[in-house]
Amino acid sequence: MKAVLFVGLLVVAISYGFVPQYSNCGSSSDKLKIQSISFNPMNLTAGDKVTVTVKGQLTEEVTGGTVTIKAALDGIPVLNKAFPLCTILANISLSCPLQPKTFTQTNSFTLPTDLPSGNITGSGRAVDQNGAELFCLKGSVDIPVPPEM
């Protein structure tokens, strides 16, 4: 489950040679203001080790909550699952409670080598211990059929 927050929220990062893209589906009242997300390398390929850096600002203390991740391949749902926020944070070397602050969080993971081809859409939404939205991200990417060897 390591880095599931990044993988799930940044479903668009799973691609064959495409630059990852995302958009904010949250509102101005979100408690986590994501300022930027960067990928290294920028053009991803199956099997790559990817480093994701997220910069943002948390405006209020968070003691718990839930992250819901949804993904579909060619319009067919393949994931719709909620994870305890504090459990996910523990997998990326963070812990609850989170104090309000400006932050930079960097984590690495390896993309699977057997990615399916097609259109992948996904979203990730987190709420705090009171059900208030922390953030919402969504993305979409077309993964081409890999070239034959």
Side-chain angles (χ1 to χ4, degrees):
M1 200 160 92
K2 184 168 170 63
V4 72
L5 177 62
F6 288 109
V7 175
L9 298 179
L10 308 171
V11 163
V12 297
I14 301 173
S15 63
Y16 282 90
F18 285 88
V19 176
Q21 308 250 341
Y22 72 94
S23 63
N24 184 342
C25 52
S27 71
S28 60
S29 63
D30 285 358
K31 294 180 179 185
L32 176 60
K33 312 290 187 198
I34 296 176
Q35 298 161 343
S36 69
I37 300 173
S38 63
F39 300 85
N40 187 16
M42 273 302 284
N43 293 309
L44 304 177
T45 303
D48 277 353
K49 179 178 179 184
V50 180
T51 299
V52 179
T53 302
V54 178
K55 294 181 180 182
Q57 181 176 18
L58 182 63
T59 60
E60 295 182 24
E61 181 182 52
V62 175
T63 60
T66 305
V67 177
T68 302
I69 299 169
K70 297 179 182 181
L73 175 63
D74 291 333
I76 300 169
V78 294
L79 179 65
N80 184 358
K81 186 163 180 158
F83 300 92
L85 176 64
C86 295
T87 300
I88 290 177
L89 292 174
N91 286 311
I92 57 171
S93 302
L94 295 173
S95 61
C96 290
L98 293 174
Q99 299 302 317
K101 68 175 187 172
T102 299
F103 68 90
T104 299
Q105 180 67 30
T106 301
N107 289 88
S108 297
F109 59 93
T110 301
L111 293 174
T113 57
D114 57 348
L115 295 173
S117 60
N119 177 262
I120 294 179
T121 56
S123 67
R125 179 178 181 261
V127 296
D128 70 7
Q129 64 278 357
N130 300 314
E133 188 167 271
L134 293 171
F135 66 87
C136 180
L137 293 173
K138 66 180 178 177
S140 176
V141 67
D142 288 315
I143 300 175
V145 174
E148 297 205 20
M149 300 291 179

